């Protein structure tokens, strides 16, 4: 399982774009990068998943450089409700290991 | 709302007791996963079932067991409870096939308090 490294916390203000970077130097060829969001006392919520270049959905964008050793989750124009913990996970989308290692994630706090 | 339901929402019990947590996956999802989240351990994967069969095991204690029934709902049984078992227990389901998936949809959780 590829190990990931994320900042422990980040602060932002409403309306700003937030970029959270995750390092995964040991990513394997078949690994995908997945991001989850978790609010206090709620289950994590799947945000986005990608393999290379850029993926965008209605919630976020995921930028993955050519070497795939890092990835950046981009949240456009954050609001107070985006305050949450964000987890980066890396692994084979069809993994037989069966375990998701969430780590400690990044606590994003959005201020008014 | 992820479509995954869990009951009960809260559970308070005493040490040494046994409890059962219940989960219903999203319609159409065959895989169910169980996780434990505590303040000091973070989110820990416990076990995965696919269409009634155990598929993967994580950090699940021998005092804990799970099963998935023909209607695809799942139950997590925790026995001989200890204070350290107090945590949030999440169930998740995935739309993918046999293999464990990184695209999982989590329920609201059951908060277990052992006194």
């Amino acid at each position: 399982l590829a190990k990931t490294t994320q900042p422990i916390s980040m602060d932002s203000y409403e309306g700003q774009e937030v970029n959270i970077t995750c390092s995964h130097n040991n990513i394997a060829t078949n690994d995908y990068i997945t991001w989850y969001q978790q609010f206090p006392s709620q289950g994590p919520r799947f945000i986005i998943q990608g393999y290379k270049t850029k993926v965008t959905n209605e919630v976020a964008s995921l930028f993955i450089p050519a070497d795939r050793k890092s990835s950046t989750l981009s949240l456009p124009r954050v609001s107070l409700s985006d305050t949450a913990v964000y987890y980066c996970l890396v692994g084979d989308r069809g993994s037989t290991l069966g375990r998701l290692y969430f780590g400690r994630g990044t606590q994003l706090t959005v201020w008014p | 709302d992820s479509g995954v339901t869990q009951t009960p929402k809260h559970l308070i019990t005493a040490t040494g007791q046994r409890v059962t947590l219940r989960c219903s996956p999203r319609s159409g999802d065959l895989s169910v996963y169980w996780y434990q989240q505590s303040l000091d351990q973070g989110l820990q994967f416990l076990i995965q079932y696919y269409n009634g069969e155990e598929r993967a095991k994580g950090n699940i204690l021998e005092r804990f067991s799970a099963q998935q029934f023909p209607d695809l709902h799942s139950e997590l049984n925790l026995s001989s409870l200890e204070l350290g078992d107090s945590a949030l227990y999440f169930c998740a389901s995935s739309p993918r096939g046999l293999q464990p998936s990184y695209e999982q949809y989590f329920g609201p959780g059951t908060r277990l308090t052992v006194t």
Side-chain angles (χ1 to χ4, degrees):
Chain A
L1 225 59
K3 183 179 176 181
T4 61
T5 303
Q6 309 175 228
I8 294 174
S9 64
M10 293 183 68
D11 291 293
S12 181
Y13 291 96
E14 281 190 295
Q16 290 189 335
E17 179 185 71
V18 171
N19 296 309
I20 305 174
T21 297
C22 179
S23 297
H24 27 80
N25 292 319
N26 297 325
I27 190 168
T29 304
N30 293 332
D31 285 348
Y32 278 73
I33 299 153
T34 310
W35 285 82
Y36 280 81
Q37 173 194 55
Q38 186 178 27
F39 299 111
S41 297
Q42 293 187 26
R45 182 174 77 109
F46 173 86
I47 301 176
I48 198 166
Q49 185 178 77
Y51 183 80
K52 62 180 179 180
T53 62
K54 177 183 174 183
V55 179
T56 298
N57 60 24
E58 65 278 5
V59 177
S61 294
L62 179 59
F63 297 92
I64 306 168
D67 67 5
R68 305 201 324 123
K69 293 184 183 298
S70 66
S71 59
T72 299
L73 175 72
S74 181
L75 305 172
R77 298 179 298 281
V78 294
S79 64
L80 297 178
S81 63
D82 292 315
T83 294
V85 178
Y86 292 82
Y87 297 95
C88 164
L89 292 86
V90 173
D92 188 338
R93 193 162 64 173
S95 172
T96 58
L97 293 177
R99 49 182 76 189
L100 295 187
Y101 176 70
F102 277 81
R104 290 298 186 173
T106 298
Q107 171 66 59
L108 171 65
T109 303
V110 180
W111 302 94
Chain B
D1 183 1
S2 67
V4 177
T5 61
Q6 290 187 247
T7 56
K9 195 169 183 179
H10 301 279
L11 199 49
I12 301 174
T13 189
T15 54
Q17 295 298 305
R18 182 180 187 276
V19 296
T20 297
L21 313 183
R22 183 189 168 101
C23 166
S24 292
R26 296 188 326 159
S27 177
D29 288 356
L30 299 179
S31 277
V32 169
Y33 310 77
W34 285 98
Y35 294 84
Q36 178 193 57
Q37 187 171 36
S38 58
L39 284 175
D40 58 342
Q41 292 290 331
L43 197 62
Q44 301 283 316
F45 167 74
L46 296 178
I47 198 164
Q48 180 217 357
Y49 278 83
Y50 174 82
N51 203 21
E53 293 191 6
E54 182 184 306
R55 287 295 302 166
K57 227 169 187 176
N59 302 320
I60 188 167
L61 300 173
E62 285 192 10
R63 300 183 286 110
F64 296 179
S65 65
Q67 54 184 326
Q68 186 180 27
F69 295 87
D71 67 352
L72 301 178
H73 91 271
S74 178
E75 292 182 355
L76 179 66
N77 300 298
L78 314 176
S79 62
S80 303
L81 285 168
E82 302 174 359
L83 295 177
D85 297 327
S86 295
L88 264 171
Y89 291 84
F90 291 107
C91 165
S93 69
S94 68
R96 300 237 177 243
L98 182 64
Q99 301 300 341
S101 169
Y102 279 80
E103 184 181 345
Q104 299 181 10
Y105 294 85
F106 283 73
T110 293
R111 182 174 292 281
L112 173 67
T113 303
V114 182
T115 61

